[in-house]
Amino acid sequence: MSTPDSHTREVRAEVQATGPDDDGRSPRPDAGGRGSRLLDLVERAGNALPHPFWLFWILCGIVALVSWVLNASGLRVEDPASGDPVGVRSALSAAAVRDLLTGAQDSFVTFGPLGTVLMVMLGVAVAERSGLFEALARRMLSGLSPRTVVLGVALGGVLGKFLSDSAYVVLIPLGAVAFRAVGRSPMLGMIVAFVSINAAGDANPLIAPGDALFASVATEAAQLVDKDVVVRATDNMYFTTVSAFVLAGTIALVVDRILAKREHHLTPDPDLEAAASRQVVAAGVDDATELRALKLTGLAVVGYATLVVLAMVPGSSPLRGEGGAIVESTFMNAIALFLTVFFLLIGGVYGRFTGQIRGNRAIPEFMADGVRSIAPLLVLFFAVSQFIALFKWTNIATVVAVEGADFLRGLGAPTLVLFTLLIVAVALMNLLITSGSALWTLVAPALVPMLMLLGTSPATTMALYRIADSCTNSITPMSTSFMLCVGYLQTLRRKAGIGTLVSFTLPVAMIMLVVWVLLFFAWYLLGIPLGPGAPVR
């Protein structure tokens, strides 16, 4: 099974060689048209950026210089947490070198997202490599009628983001299968699956590893202002659950009302379509065995959930918090561990009954594979953790937050106008920095404290970021998943390229962004909590 990273180099080479169609109506992405020239500009700008690993080290250098300038200027503000005067400390000093070098190891090991991602991946890897995720996705998308196929694929994509990067490898081909089965273009099925995962995945109603990572980063940023603030992975649960179905419906509506009129542009090459139609993928598990294993896995899910609920029933349960609290509880604070055990359980049960897990070595080997698969993320975390440590040490975040809050207060802009400006700014940044976790790590230390000082909770800031970060993912060639989708399209149409995909994802992304912003504004004005114990304002 290929990965997005391994596919990207091959796809880029193929796209560069892509020329005009035989009918001359589809120019290659870099030849002609205002939209095409804009895409070329975005691609060149993105290619000029270094790898995120080096980007954070460059940012360390920039922060060091800025801290020196601000320290020399004597700028001081009142710490919102303690009321004491705070100034920027220069990173170009003996004290900075001493503290940061001696604390480098602790900064990496104690970096919040590191432990969360590692722990949850141990369980997710077992569920993925046992074949459970693939079987569930295949069952979800089979047997759909022509009237429901678009909504079904869209819902599958939104929910499938829970599978992380494996969602693209599993669901994009399945989207093609579902559309082909009802007589629609399989290429459009690929695009619907891709845009659903990529642009609406942050609306996943399930608690995914990414939610825990976002919450960890938000907690670290919020504690720059208030050391007692804790942001949880469930803090956006109510909002994302409703958003998932609203966005899936929006995608289905845009596809049927707008994209379907251009579906004839997605006609596969006859020989490639014939080959794809004849292809039979051997799952290695017969249908009866798979169905029985899924039923037993479902029983395991019910059993696990029942045990957890029963364990939390007593008011004195160690899974509850002080005074029997559920939101502020051991269970919520240790949600990553419970998720790990959950995935280990369901992956182990399914794998045992399908024969994918044999002997006592298979599960630890799957877990090790999972850790290897996120090795690039761990490398990035090293650079990020050092940047965060330096940023905290200098006190720049506190000074910027206080000064920024004062500036925004001086503008007198209505809250919703301020939210709109932030969404637009982050959405534009996301065109070049396509890693959601990297961009959140970059902007959270400034956005979260600044908005806290204006009375906006970290959970609300995190929800705003989800909206801004998601929708533009599907229109930027800087994303490896974008190039992966181009590669899939080229398996059915040799001339498909960047322009092909952007021309279909752009209407969906822009309309979805507007709908999601309006949904949030209505949510905010009504004062509906974003999640358990997480008020929107």
Side-chain angles (χ1 to χ4, degrees):
M1 182 179 292
S2 61
T3 63
D5 285 337
S6 65
H7 237 322
T8 302
R9 291 187 298 271
E10 302 171 15
V11 173
R12 286 191 185 277
E14 293 175 6
V15 170
Q16 289 172 357
T18 300
D21 285 349
D22 294 338
D23 58 11
R25 290 180 299 172
S26 298
R28 62 181 177 182
D30 60 349
R34 182 174 299 176
S36 180
R37 288 195 294 271
L38 178 61
L39 285 173
D40 290 342
L41 178 62
V42 171
E43 185 172 8
R44 285 195 296 270
N47 287 338
L49 289 174
H51 186 281
F53 176 83
W54 299 116
L55 178 62
F56 276 99
W57 289 116
I58 292 171
L59 289 174
C60 284
I62 294 173
V63 167
L65 290 174
V66 170
S67 69
W68 177 76
V69 172
L70 293 178
N71 175 266
S73 70
L75 177 64
R76 302 182 74 81
V77 299
E78 182 178 301
D79 189 331
S82 64
D84 299 330
V86 174
V88 175
R89 296 198 289 177
S90 172
L92 302 179
S93 64
V97 173
R98 182 170 53 250
D99 291 347
L100 294 171
L101 288 180
T102 56
Q105 180 175 318
D106 287 341
S107 298
F108 179 48
V109 174
T110 61
F111 183 55
L114 176 65
T116 300
V117 171
L118 275 174
M119 180 177 291
V120 175
M121 181 52 66
L122 294 176
V124 169
V126 174
E128 178 187 353
R129 284 155 178 76
S130 69
L132 173 61
F133 288 163
E134 183 178 353
L136 285 173
R138 189 168 58 251
R139 297 278 176 178
M140 287 171 58
L141 296 177
S142 64
L144 296 176
S145 69
R147 294 181 61 87
T148 59
V149 65
V150 179
L151 183 59
V153 173
L155 276 173
V158 173
L159 300 175
K161 187 60 179 290
F162 187 62
L163 312 183
S164 190
D165 285 345
S166 61
Y168 299 103
V169 181
V170 173
L171 295 182
I172 289 178
L174 291 178
V177 171
F179 270 59
R180 183 185 290 115
V182 295
R184 302 195 67 171
S185 168
M187 296 177 67
L188 183 59
M190 289 181 173
I191 293 171
V192 172
F194 164 72
V195 76
S196 302
I197 301 167
N198 210 279
D202 277 345
N204 196 323
L206 306 173
I207 302 300
D211 297 309
L213 188 151
F214 274 28
S216 297
V217 173
T219 297
E220 293 198 10
Q223 289 179 352
L224 293 171
V225 174
D226 186 345
K227 297 185 182 301
D228 295 327
V229 172
V230 176
V231 183
R232 296 180 181 80
T234 58
D235 279 359
N236 288 165
M237 178 186 289
Y238 298 160
F239 178 65
T240 55
T241 298
V242 174
S243 297
F245 295 97
V246 171
L247 294 181
T250 300
I251 293 170
L253 185 64
V254 174
V255 170
D256 284 338
R257 296 295 177 88
I258 299 177
L259 301 191
K261 297 177 181 179
R262 303 183 63 249
E263 193 169 345
H264 61 279
H265 289 287
L266 296 176
T267 303
D269 294 338
D271 58 329
L272 296 180
E273 170 65 359
S277 299
R278 292 193 303 268
Q279 186 178 16
V280 177
V281 179
V285 179
D286 63 83
D287 189 70
T289 300
E290 179 181 273
L291 187 58
R292 179 170 176 267
L294 287 173
K295 289 180 178 178
L296 292 171
T297 303
L299 291 176
V301 171
V302 173
Y304 181 77
T306 301
L307 286 176
V308 172
V309 170
L310 290 176
M312 294 190 68
V313 168
S316 59
S317 169
L319 296 186
R320 287 182 177 244
E322 186 176 350
I326 294 178
V327 175
E328 299 284 343
S329 65
T330 302
F331 174 74
M332 290 296 187
N333 291 331
I335 189 68
L337 176 60
F338 283 93
L339 284 173
T340 302
V341 174
F342 171 74
F343 285 119
L344 281 171
L345 174 65
I346 63 175
V349 170
Y350 180 82
R352 286 289 185 184
F353 284 99
T354 58
Q356 302 299 315
I357 294 179
R358 297 186 178 93
N360 58 13
R361 299 179 53 141
I363 288 181
E365 287 176 353
F366 285 171
M367 295 168 77
D369 285 342
V371 174
R372 281 192 288 270
S373 71
I374 61 170
L377 185 60
L378 302 183
V379 173
L380 176 61
F381 278 177
F382 176 70
V384 172
S385 65
Q386 304 310 309
F387 169 76
I388 293 295
L390 173 64
F391 198 65
K392 284 183 176 179
W393 191 93
T394 59
N395 290 330
I396 287 179
T398 300
V399 173
V400 169
V402 173
E403 291 291 322
D406 290 341
F407 174 75
L408 292 173
R409 287 194 193 98
L411 287 178
T415 301
L416 296 186
V417 173
L418 173 61
F419 288 171
T420 302
L421 294 175
L422 291 176
I423 289 173
V424 171
V426 174
L428 291 175
M429 292 175 65
N430 189 53
L431 291 172
L432 298 178
I433 305 176
T434 58
S435 169
S437 57
L439 183 55
W440 178 234
T441 303
L442 181 63
V443 302
L447 289 184
V448 172
M450 182 177 69
L451 291 181
M452 284 177 68
L453 296 177
L454 293 175
T456 299
S457 71
T460 301
T461 305
M462 189 164 65
L464 289 169
Y465 176 81
R466 288 178 186 276
I467 296 171
D469 171 64
S470 297
C471 297
T472 50
N473 278 333
S474 61
I475 61 174
T476 172
M478 301 304 105
S479 167
T480 55
S481 59
F482 180 98
M483 298 307 299
L484 174 64
C485 188
V486 172
Y488 274 120
L489 292 175
Q490 290 178 341
T491 64
L492 293 178
R493 183 180 174 88
R494 294 182 181 88
K495 300 297 185 180
I498 291 174
T500 305
L501 185 54
V502 170
S503 68
F504 280 85
T505 58
L506 185 60
V508 183
M510 294 300 98
I511 293 175
M512 189 166 56
L513 178 60
V514 172
V515 169
W516 208 357
V517 169
L518 293 177
L519 174 64
F520 176 82
F521 284 175
W523 200 285
Y524 183 84
L525 293 173
L526 293 172
I528 304 172
L530 293 167
V536 69
R537 52 186 171 89

